[in-house]
Amino acid sequence: MKTYNIIILAKQVPDTRNVGKDAMKADGTINRAVLPAIFNPEDLNALEQALRIKDKFPGTTVRILTMGPGRAADIIREGLFRGADGGILLTDRAFAGSDTLATSYALAQALKKIGDVDIIIAGRQAIDGDTAQVGPQVAEKLALPQITYVEEVIDLKDKAITVKRRLENGVETVRCKLPLVMTVNGSAPDCRARNAKRLMKYKHAKTITELQKENEDYTHMYNERAGLNIPEWTVNDIETDASQLGLTGSPTKVKTIENVVLSAKDSKVISAADADIEAMMIELLESHTIG
């Protein structure tokens, strides 16, 4: 039976439900140190699509590639808990402040090093930027075809995949040859829950930096922990042009930031009676709130 090599492009993002006054730095970048970090929701949808392919084609490998600070290893562990086979953390100060262009460049260079990938899957967009640009930009840099807004993998035979796309005004069925890049909508099935046995095993999965902080004999430990090591790649591990990395390689610049606090000033409670509902509709129409 045919097997596939799948890479999930995932991102650890600040939980936008807990944004406070210190959420942004003076230079316009996110102050991630003060915000709780979570697995980007639509990247979890992407992971589920990969795991469903793995279920159908035993022997398929699913790995997570993420770029971020050391704590981003948490989402690799989260992926392992849910069924992924491994992951790579792309981490270096040289990547700090990257916009979508610099991020996609670094990810594409890492994917070139990985090589021989059949399917690259990412969430449609990250909740800390909402640009939906990284997946398509990675595809462009790798000269691969792409399918966006994927909701379901319908069929996968040999070297071609058929998917359902959820668009604003309808649904499309699209077939594409492999290798390719796909981005997955939040309307796709939710990711499966953590597996208890995998949780007990992979909670011990660590990067060498994490081991170094925990134990002086970290090199020996890393060599003895087959299957529990999370590789860390720095800028020195992939071929890059420094001018395309980090803030230097990011043409997007934030000039000003405005904190907007929404508050309710007036409220009205109406009953479920038809007359009350009709009166409310008339009021909304007359005020041009609707219509």
Side-chain angles (χ1 to χ4, degrees), residues 9-14 37-46 75 122-130:
L9 302 181
K11 185 178 184 183
Q12 187 183 57
V13 295
I38 62 172
F39 202 122
N40 183 56
E42 289 189 340
D43 294 343
L44 281 172
N45 297 111
I75 67 168
R124 175 179 59 103
Q125 64 185 31
I127 60 173
D128 61 346
D130 289 345

Side-chain angles (χ1 to χ4, degrees), residues 203-221:
K203 69 180 181 180
H204 301 293
K206 305 282 185 181
T207 65
I208 195 166
T209 299
E210 289 174 320
L211 290 174
Q212 183 179 3
K213 292 178 179 179
E214 293 178 2
N215 194 300
E216 292 182 1
D217 193 19
Y218 65 92
T219 303
H220 174 73
M221 289 183 63

Side-chain angles (χ1 to χ4, degrees), residues 178-213:
L178 306 182
L180 85 162
V181 176
M182 300 192 314
T183 64
V184 178
N185 282 354
S187 59
D190 292 335
C191 193
R192 62 197 63 186
R194 298 172 171 182
N195 176 279
K197 288 184 178 179
R198 296 183 69 88
L199 176 61
M200 295 304 294
K201 176 180 179 179
Y202 289 111
K203 69 180 181 180
H204 301 293
K206 305 282 185 181
T207 65
I208 195 166
T209 299
E210 289 174 320
L211 290 174
Q212 183 179 3
K213 292 178 179 179

Side-chain angles (χ1 to χ4, degrees), residues 89-108:
L89 173 60
L90 195 58
T91 184
D92 197 300
R93 289 187 180 275
F95 301 134
S98 294
D99 68 358
T100 61
L101 196 65
T103 297
S104 62
Y105 172 71
L107 291 173

Side-chain angles (χ1 to χ4, degrees), residues 45-58:
N45 297 111
L47 175 59
E48 176 60 24
Q49 291 302 309
L51 294 176
R52 291 187 178 200
I53 294 172
K54 181 182 174 182
D55 291 341
K56 189 174 181 180
F57 299 94

Side-chain angles (χ1 to χ4, degrees), residues 71-91:
R71 68 174 182 172
D74 287 341
I75 67 168
I76 294 178
R77 280 186 285 271
E78 187 65 38
L80 292 168
F81 298 158
R82 296 171 187 256
D85 299 291
I88 298 168
L89 173 60
L90 195 58
T91 184

